[in-house]
Amino acid sequence: MEMVDVDALVSKQDVLDAYDTLKSIVKHTPLEKDYYLSQKYDCNVYLKREDLQWVRSFKLRGAYYAIAQLTDEQLKNGVTCASAGNHAQGVAFTCQKLGVPATIFMPTTTPQQKVSQVRFFGGDFVEVRLTGDTFDASAYSAKKFSAEHNKAFIAPFDDADIIAGQGTVAVEMLDDLGSENCDFVFAAIGGGGLVSGVASYVKAVRPDTTIIGVEPSGAPSMAKALLAGKVVNLPKIDKFVDGAAVKQVGELTYKHCEKLVDEVTEVDEGEVCSTILDMYTKQAIVAEPAGALSVAALNHFRPQIKGKNVVCIVSGGNNDINRMQEIEERSLVFEGLKHYFIVNFPQRPGALREFVNDVLGPYDDITKFEYTKKVNRNQGPVIIGVLLQNPNDYEKLLERIAIFDPSFMPINDNQMLYTLLV
């Protein structure tokens, strides 16, 4: 990457100013060498554990610094924000700490656990308003309310103070590395505030470091913007990686990524799920989907990172336990172990036994069996889920199902049918 004037955007000094403000407020989260990942990828992997931050995500940094820059009159009038999770918690924590009234708009679809956390961190200083079914609708209401009541709106990512605050992650990170090289930094991209702040500082201090931004495949808004040469609005996104599922990145964050980020890569949501489970079982780390993006991307850069020093920012750990069943399901589908089919079964005794004996392999298991229609006819369609022990067994399974029912239909890759039926 050619050298650029980083001071044209958020500068190293801007980040250091934010660090001076935040160092007594935020937790200096650990930078831990991870021996499991280091061995797995034949390099030195360090995890920057922002999942251990006071609000369990990096968002506190930007929120606190942005609010701390407001005038006394603005603080007295109070602030607003729109968020479905981590940004709201950062604003709530800040407002209780500084004694600033806040009105926080959250979509009506926000899980109760996240709403409760916001109220917990904000205490008596925060009012939560559940408005709209989507983040965009909630943000519209927040901005309208801000204008009508002369309140400062605290943007989630597209703001210089927010970016500078998030950049303090990099100050701690490089300080803890000391004289060690920092060859690669992997950071999640949602709206782009984190990677923008980190890149601003790292490229100024260690310009040879390669910075990789990581997006979920279902919401590649920064990648699409860089391809188009301007910020674009995605018509549809997969909201599963909720902390990084953004339809449109910021104008300011786009400019940072265009000039300072070496590469933006995408990771499948199923691979994110596999990474979450791996981090939990192997390292006892509870990462939210966005928090696992940076680690999931390592698999895409094996040759480049071999023998190098790599930092992955685990950006958050606010993972709802109620999502674990869906996480496991997505992981198994991604790994090629769980498959769903519509198969016509003869409606006679012994048909299921015949399927089990003639179609399933010795280590295969049925995880779902449901008639979609029961009528007086010779055959009826069945939704059947099969769990394999080895993904290489799939082709042979298809051959055996085709003998049982030549008109069968795999539905894993048919998103509409999968969503409707599974």
Side-chain angles (χ1 to χ4, degrees):
M1 173 177 284
E2 62 181 280
M3 293 297 293
V4 296
D5 178 12
V6 293
D7 291 333
L9 301 168
V10 168
S11 69
K12 167 189 170 184
Q13 190 56 51
D14 293 333
V15 176
L16 289 174
D17 289 344
Y19 177 74
D20 285 340
T21 298
L22 295 173
K23 62 185 178 184
S24 62
I25 302 298
V26 303
K27 181 188 291 188
H28 183 129
T29 53
L31 182 74
E32 300 174 342
K33 182 171 182 179
D34 191 286
Y35 290 96
Y36 166 69
L37 291 172
S38 296
Q39 186 175 24
K40 182 176 181 179
Y41 294 107
D42 195 17
C43 61
N44 297 312
V45 177
Y46 297 87
L47 300 183
K48 177 59 173 167
R49 298 290 305 278
E50 281 298 288
D51 58 303
L52 299 177
Q53 191 52 259
W54 298 124
V55 297
R56 297 191 67 190
S57 92
F58 72 96
K59 286 285 190 175
L60 172 60
R61 297 172 183 269
Y64 191 99
Y65 187 62
I67 293 172
Q69 302 314 298
L70 299 176
T71 65
D72 289 342
E73 183 179 354
Q74 287 175 310
L75 293 174
K76 184 178 178 181
N77 287 341
V79 303
T80 65
C81 79
S83 169
N86 292 342
H87 180 56
Q89 292 181 40
V91 170
F93 182 98
T94 299
C95 288
Q96 186 180 55
K97 194 86 171 172
L98 297 177
V100 176
T103 307
I104 295 178
F105 289 76
M106 306 182 79
T108 55
T109 52
T110 304
Q112 186 57 42
Q113 177 252 1
K114 291 188 175 182
V115 177
S116 299
Q117 282 294 94
V118 171
R119 289 180 172 142
F120 168 74
F121 285 122
D124 295 335
F125 291 96
V126 166
E127 177 192 356
V128 175
R129 296 197 180 188
L130 299 176
T131 310
D133 292 334
T134 65
F135 167 77
D136 291 330
S138 189
Y140 174 81
S141 297
K143 290 175 181 177
K144 185 171 182 288
F145 180 85
S146 302
E148 291 173 351
H149 295 84
N150 193 30
K151 292 180 181 290
F153 177 75
I154 308 302
F157 46 81
D158 204 32
D159 176 89
D161 291 332
I162 292 285
I163 291 171
Q166 318 304 27
T168 62
V169 170
V171 179
E172 294 178 3
M173 201 167 74
L174 295 187
D175 283 352
D176 289 348
L177 271 178
S179 60
E180 292 283 332
N181 288 337
C182 184
D183 299 306
F184 286 84
V185 173
F186 288 79
I189 297 180
L194 174 64
V195 77
S196 296
V198 167
S200 292
Y201 185 78
V202 171
K203 284 297 185 182
V205 177
R206 302 197 186 189
D208 293 335
T209 299
T210 299
I211 297 177
I212 309 293
V214 190
E215 293 184 296
S217 294
S221 47
M222 187 63 78
K224 295 295 185 185
L226 292 170
L227 190 64
K230 62 180 181 179
V231 171
V232 297
N233 188 291
L234 301 183
K236 183 182 179 183
I237 59 173
D238 184 333
K239 297 178 182 177
F240 176 77
V241 185
D242 49 345
V246 174
K247 283 189 173 183
Q248 182 174 311
V249 299
E251 293 285 351
L252 189 56
T253 56
Y254 165 73
K255 290 173 183 175
H256 281 77
C257 288
E258 181 185 39
K259 292 186 178 297
L260 300 173
V261 175
D262 295 275
E263 186 175 343
V264 173
T265 191
E266 299 172 26
V267 175
D268 185 275
E269 280 75 4
E271 189 170 9
V272 173
C273 292
S274 294
T275 303
I276 290 170
L277 296 173
D278 202 40
M279 291 174 74
Y280 180 72
T281 55
K282 300 290 199 313
Q283 301 133 294
I285 295 173
V286 178
E288 64 184 82
L293 276 172
S294 61
V295 176
L298 294 179
N299 193 44
H300 299 239
F301 289 83
R302 280 180 179 268
Q304 298 98 309
I305 64 177
K306 184 175 181 180
K308 304 293 186 180
N309 285 348
V310 178
V311 176
C312 291
I313 301 172
V314 183
S315 58
N318 285 306
N319 201 353
D320 187 346
I321 191 68
N322 294 319
R323 301 183 74 187
M324 291 308 291
Q325 185 174 350
E326 182 186 5
I327 288 170
E328 184 179 18
E329 172 80 8
R330 280 184 176 246
S331 172
L332 289 170
V333 170
F334 172 77
E335 299 289 344
L337 296 174
K338 188 176 260 192
H339 300 272
Y340 293 92
F341 310 93
I342 297 176
V343 180
N344 285 299
F345 266 67
Q347 294 200 26
R348 56 171 170 74
L352 176 57
R353 184 184 303 110
E354 183 182 321
F355 183 89
V356 171
N357 292 339
D358 297 346
V359 176
L360 292 188
Y363 303 107
D364 300 341
D365 190 22
I366 292 178
T367 60
K368 184 181 183 72
F369 188 90
E370 180 182 341
Y371 271 106
T372 60
K373 200 172 185 181
K374 293 183 178 179
V375 293
N376 289 326
R377 58 201 313 184
N378 293 331
Q379 287 191 324
V382 170
I383 304 167
I384 189 160
V386 178
L387 181 64
L388 305 178
Q389 193 174 76
N390 189 322
N392 296 326
D393 295 337
Y394 181 60
E395 293 302 323
K396 289 294 184 183
L397 175 67
L398 291 180
E399 293 175 9
R400 295 192 297 269
I401 296 178
I403 295 171
F404 185 86
D405 172 25
S407 62
F408 83 98
M409 181 187 299
I411 59 177
N412 276 35
D413 294 330
N414 188 322
Q415 195 57 46
M416 182 178 292
L417 277 178
Y418 180 89
T419 303
L420 180 68
L421 300 176
V422 177

PDB file of all heavy atoms in Angstrom, residues 206-233:
ATOM      1  N   ARG A 206       3.162   1.980  12.875  1.00  0.00           N
ATOM      2  CA  ARG A 206       3.815   0.825  12.245  1.00  0.00           C
ATOM      3  C   ARG A 206       3.255   0.659  10.829  1.00  0.00           C
ATOM      4  O   ARG A 206       2.403  -0.208  10.588  1.00  0.00           O
ATOM      5  CB  ARG A 206       3.601  -0.440  13.072  1.00  0.00           C
ATOM      6  CG  ARG A 206       4.120  -0.308  14.505  1.00  0.00           C
ATOM      7  CD  ARG A 206       4.276  -1.653  15.151  1.00  0.00           C
ATOM      8  NE  ARG A 206       4.642  -1.546  16.562  1.00  0.00           N
ATOM      9  CZ  ARG A 206       4.999  -2.567  17.317  1.00  0.00           C
ATOM     10  NH1 ARG A 206       5.038  -3.792  16.817  1.00  0.00           N
ATOM     11  NH2 ARG A 206       5.308  -2.405  18.588  1.00  0.00           N
ATOM     12  N   PRO A 207       3.707   1.503   9.905  1.00  0.00           N
ATOM     13  CA  PRO A 207       3.126   1.532   8.559  1.00  0.00           C
ATOM     14  C   PRO A 207       3.253   0.225   7.780  1.00  0.00           C
ATOM     15  O   PRO A 207       2.511   0.006   6.821  1.00  0.00           O
ATOM     16  CB  PRO A 207       3.891   2.669   7.868  1.00  0.00           C
ATOM     17  CG  PRO A 207       5.133   2.856   8.674  1.00  0.00           C
ATOM     18  CD  PRO A 207       4.778   2.499  10.083  1.00  0.00           C
ATOM     19  N   ASP A 208       4.168  -0.654   8.179  1.00  0.00           N
ATOM     20  CA  ASP A 208       4.338  -1.921   7.466  1.00  0.00           C
ATOM     21  C   ASP A 208       3.308  -2.980   7.867  1.00  0.00           C
ATOM     22  O   ASP A 208       3.234  -4.050   7.250  1.00  0.00           O
ATOM     23  CB  ASP A 208       5.742  -2.479   7.697  1.00  0.00           C
ATOM     24  CG  ASP A 208       6.821  -1.600   7.050  1.00  0.00           C
ATOM     25  OD1 ASP A 208       6.493  -0.896   6.081  1.00  0.00           O
ATOM     26  OD2 ASP A 208       7.966  -1.615   7.535  1.00  0.00           O
ATOM     27  N   THR A 209       2.550  -2.715   8.903  1.00  0.00           N
ATOM     28  CA  THR A 209       1.529  -3.669   9.353  1.00  0.00           C
ATOM     29  C   THR A 209       0.411  -3.775   8.316  1.00  0.00           C
ATOM     30  O   THR A 209      -0.078  -2.766   7.806  1.00  0.00           O
ATOM     31  CB  THR A 209       0.927  -3.230  10.704  1.00  0.00           C
ATOM     32  OG1 THR A 209       1.960  -3.192  11.685  1.00  0.00           O
ATOM     33  CG2 THR A 209      -0.160  -4.204  11.149  1.00  0.00           C
ATOM     34  N   THR A 210       0.011  -4.996   8.007  1.00  0.00           N
ATOM     35  CA  THR A 210      -1.104  -5.239   7.085  1.00  0.00           C
ATOM     36  C   THR A 210      -2.401  -5.295   7.876  1.00  0.00           C
ATOM     37  O   THR A 210      -2.515  -6.077   8.832  1.00  0.00           O
ATOM     38  CB  THR A 210      -0.911  -6.563   6.319  1.00  0.00           C
ATOM     39  OG1 THR A 210       0.298  -6.484   5.553  1.00  0.00           O
ATOM     40  CG2 THR A 210      -2.080  -6.841   5.387  1.00  0.00           C
ATOM     41  N   ILE A 211      -3.351  -4.478   7.497  1.00  0.00           N
ATOM     42  CA  ILE A 211      -4.627  -4.411   8.211  1.00  0.00           C
ATOM     43  C   ILE A 211      -5.710  -5.029   7.344  1.00  0.00           C
ATOM     44  O   ILE A 211      -5.929  -4.624   6.198  1.00  0.00           O
ATOM     45  CB  ILE A 211      -4.986  -2.964   8.583  1.00  0.00           C
ATOM     46  CG1 ILE A 211      -3.926  -2.411   9.542  1.00  0.00           C
ATOM     47  CG2 ILE A 211      -6.379  -2.905   9.216  1.00  0.00           C
ATOM     48  CD1 ILE A 211      -4.126  -0.980   9.939  1.00  0.00           C
ATOM     49  N   ILE A 212      -6.384  -6.026   7.916  1.00  0.00           N
ATOM     50  CA  ILE A 212      -7.444  -6.754   7.216  1.00  0.00           C
ATOM     51  C   ILE A 212      -8.778  -6.462   7.905  1.00  0.00           C
ATOM     52  O   ILE A 212      -8.939  -6.730   9.095  1.00  0.00           O
ATOM     53  CB  ILE A 212      -7.202  -8.276   7.224  1.00  0.00           C
ATOM     54  CG1 ILE A 212      -5.783  -8.622   6.734  1.00  0.00           C
ATOM     55  CG2 ILE A 212      -8.278  -8.988   6.394  1.00  0.00           C
ATOM     56  CD1 ILE A 212      -5.520  -8.319   5.290  1.00  0.00           C
ATOM     57  N   GLY A 213      -9.714  -5.914   7.153  1.00  0.00           N
ATOM     58  CA  GLY A 213     -11.071  -5.734   7.667  1.00  0.00           C
ATOM     59  C   GLY A 213     -11.908  -6.953   7.314  1.00  0.00           C
ATOM     60  O   GLY A 213     -11.777  -7.505   6.217  1.00  0.00           O
ATOM     61  N   VAL A 214     -12.773  -7.379   8.228  1.00  0.00           N
ATOM     62  CA  VAL A 214     -13.532  -8.629   8.031  1.00  0.00           C
ATOM     63  C   VAL A 214     -15.030  -8.346   8.157  1.00  0.00           C
ATOM     64  O   VAL A 214     -15.484  -7.801   9.166  1.00  0.00           O
ATOM     65  CB  VAL A 214     -13.125  -9.706   9.052  1.00  0.00           C
ATOM     66  CG1 VAL A 214     -13.737 -11.050   8.672  1.00  0.00           C
ATOM     67  CG2 VAL A 214     -11.612  -9.818   9.166  1.00  0.00           C
ATOM     68  N   GLU A 215     -15.761  -8.723   7.126  1.00  0.00           N
ATOM     69  CA  GLU A 215     -17.210  -8.545   7.111  1.00  0.00           C
ATOM     70  C   GLU A 215     -17.916  -9.894   6.974  1.00  0.00           C
ATOM     71  O   GLU A 215     -17.356 -10.837   6.418  1.00  0.00           O
ATOM     72  CB  GLU A 215     -17.636  -7.683   5.919  1.00  0.00           C
ATOM     73  CG  GLU A 215     -17.181  -6.252   5.983  1.00  0.00           C
ATOM     74  CD  GLU A 215     -17.730  -5.432   4.819  1.00  0.00           C
ATOM     75  OE1 GLU A 215     -17.374  -5.724   3.663  1.00  0.00           O
ATOM     76  OE2 GLU A 215     -18.507  -4.503   5.068  1.00  0.00           O
ATOM     77  N   PRO A 216     -19.162  -9.989   7.455  1.00  0.00           N
ATOM     78  CA  PRO A 216     -19.945 -11.201   7.188  1.00  0.00           C
ATOM     79  C   PRO A 216     -20.391 -11.204   5.731  1.00  0.00           C
ATOM     80  O   PRO A 216     -20.700 -10.151   5.162  1.00  0.00           O
ATOM     81  CB  PRO A 216     -21.144 -11.064   8.131  1.00  0.00           C
ATOM     82  CG  PRO A 216     -21.270  -9.591   8.385  1.00  0.00           C
ATOM     83  CD  PRO A 216     -19.886  -9.023   8.294  1.00  0.00           C
ATOM     84  N   SER A 217     -20.430 -12.377   5.121  1.00  0.00           N
ATOM     85  CA  SER A 217     -20.802 -12.480   3.699  1.00  0.00           C
ATOM     86  C   SER A 217     -22.195 -11.929   3.430  1.00  0.00           C
ATOM     87  O   SER A 217     -22.462 -11.438   2.332  1.00  0.00           O
ATOM     88  CB  SER A 217     -20.743 -13.942   3.249  1.00  0.00           C
ATOM     89  OG  SER A 217     -19.413 -14.420   3.280  1.00  0.00           O
ATOM     90  N   GLY A 218     -23.066 -12.017   4.423  1.00  0.00           N
ATOM     91  CA  GLY A 218     -24.433 -11.546   4.230  1.00  0.00           C
ATOM     92  C   GLY A 218     -24.607 -10.048   4.356  1.00  0.00           C
ATOM     93  O   GLY A 218     -25.713  -9.537   4.142  1.00  0.00           O
ATOM     94  N   ALA A 219     -23.538  -9.324   4.699  1.00  0.00           N
ATOM     95  CA  ALA A 219     -23.633  -7.859   4.837  1.00  0.00           C
ATOM     96  C   ALA A 219     -22.295  -7.210   4.490  1.00  0.00           C
ATOM     97  O   ALA A 219     -21.692  -6.525   5.322  1.00  0.00           O
ATOM     98  CB  ALA A 219     -24.073  -7.494   6.259  1.00  0.00           C
ATOM     99  N   PRO A 220     -21.825  -7.384   3.244  1.00  0.00           N
ATOM    100  CA  PRO A 220     -20.498  -6.875   2.869  1.00  0.00           C
ATOM    101  C   PRO A 220     -20.544  -5.410   2.414  1.00  0.00           C
ATOM    102  O   PRO A 220     -20.119  -5.063   1.307  1.00  0.00           O
ATOM    103  CB  PRO A 220     -20.100  -7.807   1.729  1.00  0.00           C
ATOM    104  CG  PRO A 220     -21.392  -8.120   1.049  1.00  0.00           C
ATOM    105  CD  PRO A 220     -22.444  -8.137   2.140  1.00  0.00           C
ATOM    106  N   SER A 221     -21.055  -4.528   3.268  1.00  0.00           N
ATOM    107  CA  SER A 221     -21.302  -3.147   2.846  1.00  0.00           C
ATOM    108  C   SER A 221     -20.017  -2.369   2.555  1.00  0.00           C
ATOM    109  O   SER A 221     -19.993  -1.527   1.657  1.00  0.00           O
ATOM    110  CB  SER A 221     -22.132  -2.413   3.906  1.00  0.00           C
ATOM    111  OG  SER A 221     -21.617  -2.627   5.201  1.00  0.00           O
ATOM    112  N   MET A 222     -18.928  -2.639   3.279  1.00  0.00           N
ATOM    113  CA  MET A 222     -17.673  -1.925   3.001  1.00  0.00           C
ATOM    114  C   MET A 222     -17.030  -2.459   1.724  1.00  0.00           C
ATOM    115  O   MET A 222     -16.516  -1.682   0.906  1.00  0.00           O
ATOM    116  CB  MET A 222     -16.702  -2.054   4.172  1.00  0.00           C
ATOM    117  CG  MET A 222     -15.435  -1.203   4.028  1.00  0.00           C
ATOM    118  SD  MET A 222     -15.758   0.590   3.965  1.00  0.00           S
ATOM    119  CE  MET A 222     -16.039   0.932   5.719  1.00  0.00           C
ATOM    120  N   ALA A 223     -17.057  -3.769   1.535  1.00  0.00           N
ATOM    121  CA  ALA A 223     -16.496  -4.343   0.316  1.00  0.00           C
ATOM    122  C   ALA A 223     -17.212  -3.816  -0.919  1.00  0.00           C
ATOM    123  O   ALA A 223     -16.579  -3.473  -1.927  1.00  0.00           O
ATOM    124  CB  ALA A 223     -16.584  -5.875   0.365  1.00  0.00           C
ATOM    125  N   LYS A 224     -18.540  -3.725  -0.843  1.00  0.00           N
ATOM    126  CA  LYS A 224     -19.318  -3.213  -1.970  1.00  0.00           C
ATOM    127  C   LYS A 224     -19.014  -1.736  -2.208  1.00  0.00           C
ATOM    128  O   LYS A 224     -18.955  -1.278  -3.357  1.00  0.00           O
ATOM    129  CB  LYS A 224     -20.816  -3.404  -1.709  1.00  0.00           C
ATOM    130  CG  LYS A 224     -21.266  -4.855  -1.629  1.00  0.00           C
ATOM    131  CD  LYS A 224     -21.108  -5.582  -2.952  1.00  0.00           C
ATOM    132  CE  LYS A 224     -21.690  -6.990  -2.877  1.00  0.00           C
ATOM    133  NZ  LYS A 224     -21.440  -7.771  -4.104  1.00  0.00           N
ATOM    134  N   ALA A 225     -18.820  -0.977  -1.130  1.00  0.00           N
ATOM    135  CA  ALA A 225     -18.499   0.443  -1.259  1.00  0.00           C
ATOM    136  C   ALA A 225     -17.143   0.627  -1.931  1.00  0.00           C
ATOM    137  O   ALA A 225     -16.984   1.457  -2.839  1.00  0.00           O
ATOM    138  CB  ALA A 225     -18.519   1.109   0.108  1.00  0.00           C
ATOM    139  N   LEU A 226     -16.162  -0.151  -1.501  1.00  0.00           N
ATOM    140  CA  LEU A 226     -14.819  -0.043  -2.086  1.00  0.00           C
ATOM    141  C   LEU A 226     -14.834  -0.439  -3.558  1.00  0.00           C
ATOM    142  O   LEU A 226     -14.132   0.148  -4.386  1.00  0.00           O
ATOM    143  CB  LEU A 226     -13.838  -0.922  -1.303  1.00  0.00           C
ATOM    144  CG  LEU A 226     -13.550  -0.457   0.134  1.00  0.00           C
ATOM    145  CD1 LEU A 226     -12.773  -1.531   0.892  1.00  0.00           C
ATOM    146  CD2 LEU A 226     -12.789   0.860   0.147  1.00  0.00           C
ATOM    147  N   LEU A 227     -15.656  -1.429  -3.895  1.00  0.00           N
ATOM    148  CA  LEU A 227     -15.773  -1.865  -5.287  1.00  0.00           C
ATOM    149  C   LEU A 227     -16.427  -0.776  -6.145  1.00  0.00           C
ATOM    150  O   LEU A 227     -16.015  -0.535  -7.289  1.00  0.00           O
ATOM    151  CB  LEU A 227     -16.593  -3.158  -5.351  1.00  0.00           C
ATOM    152  CG  LEU A 227     -16.627  -3.899  -6.686  1.00  0.00           C
ATOM    153  CD1 LEU A 227     -15.230  -4.391  -7.066  1.00  0.00           C
ATOM    154  CD2 LEU A 227     -17.595  -5.079  -6.604  1.00  0.00           C
ATOM    155  N   ALA A 228     -17.420  -0.101  -5.570  1.00  0.00           N
ATOM    156  CA  ALA A 228     -18.150   0.940  -6.313  1.00  0.00           C
ATOM    157  C   ALA A 228     -17.421   2.280  -6.307  1.00  0.00           C
ATOM    158  O   ALA A 228     -17.736   3.160  -7.106  1.00  0.00           O
ATOM    159  CB  ALA A 228     -19.548   1.102  -5.723  1.00  0.00           C
ATOM    160  N   GLY A 229     -16.470   2.443  -5.394  1.00  0.00           N
ATOM    161  CA  GLY A 229     -15.776   3.726  -5.289  1.00  0.00           C
ATOM    162  C   GLY A 229     -16.564   4.768  -4.533  1.00  0.00           C
ATOM    163  O   GLY A 229     -16.234   5.955  -4.548  1.00  0.00           O
ATOM    164  N   LYS A 230     -17.613   4.325  -3.831  1.00  0.00           N
ATOM    165  CA  LYS A 230     -18.440   5.240  -3.034  1.00  0.00           C
ATOM    166  C   LYS A 230     -19.308   4.411  -2.088  1.00  0.00           C
ATOM    167  O   LYS A 230     -19.478   3.197  -2.275  1.00  0.00           O
ATOM    168  CB  LYS A 230     -19.331   6.092  -3.935  1.00  0.00           C
ATOM    169  CG  LYS A 230     -20.317   5.282  -4.754  1.00  0.00           C
ATOM    170  CD  LYS A 230     -21.180   6.171  -5.642  1.00  0.00           C
ATOM    171  CE  LYS A 230     -22.177   5.320  -6.440  1.00  0.00           C
ATOM    172  NZ  LYS A 230     -23.044   6.158  -7.301  1.00  0.00           N
ATOM    173  N   VAL A 231     -19.853   5.073  -1.086  1.00  0.00           N
ATOM    174  CA  VAL A 231     -20.743   4.392  -0.147  1.00  0.00           C
ATOM    175  C   VAL A 231     -22.016   3.960  -0.867  1.00  0.00           C
ATOM    176  O   VAL A 231     -22.597   4.726  -1.642  1.00  0.00           O
ATOM    177  CB  VAL A 231     -21.094   5.331   1.033  1.00  0.00           C
ATOM    178  CG1 VAL A 231     -22.188   4.728   1.899  1.00  0.00           C
ATOM    179  CG2 VAL A 231     -19.855   5.607   1.869  1.00  0.00           C
ATOM    180  N   VAL A 232     -22.419   2.713  -0.647  1.00  0.00           N
ATOM    181  CA  VAL A 232     -23.638   2.191  -1.261  1.00  0.00           C
ATOM    182  C   VAL A 232     -24.564   1.654  -0.170  1.00  0.00           C
ATOM    183  O   VAL A 232     -24.128   1.341   0.936  1.00  0.00           O
ATOM    184  CB  VAL A 232     -23.333   1.062  -2.279  1.00  0.00           C
ATOM    185  CG1 VAL A 232     -22.505   1.588  -3.433  1.00  0.00           C
ATOM    186  CG2 VAL A 232     -22.611  -0.105  -1.594  1.00  0.00           C
ATOM    187  N   ASN A 233     -25.842   1.544  -0.509  1.00  0.00           N
ATOM    188  CA  ASN A 233     -26.828   1.004   0.420  1.00  0.00           C
ATOM    189  C   ASN A 233     -27.241  -0.374  -0.074  1.00  0.00           C
ATOM    190  O   ASN A 233     -27.766  -0.509  -1.177  1.00  0.00           O
ATOM    191  CB  ASN A 233     -28.046   1.934   0.506  1.00  0.00           C
ATOM    192  CG  ASN A 233     -29.008   1.517   1.613  1.00  0.00           C
ATOM    193  OD1 ASN A 233     -29.662   0.487   1.527  1.00  0.00           O
ATOM    194  ND2 ASN A 233     -29.096   2.321   2.649  1.00  0.00           N
TER     195      ASN A 233
END
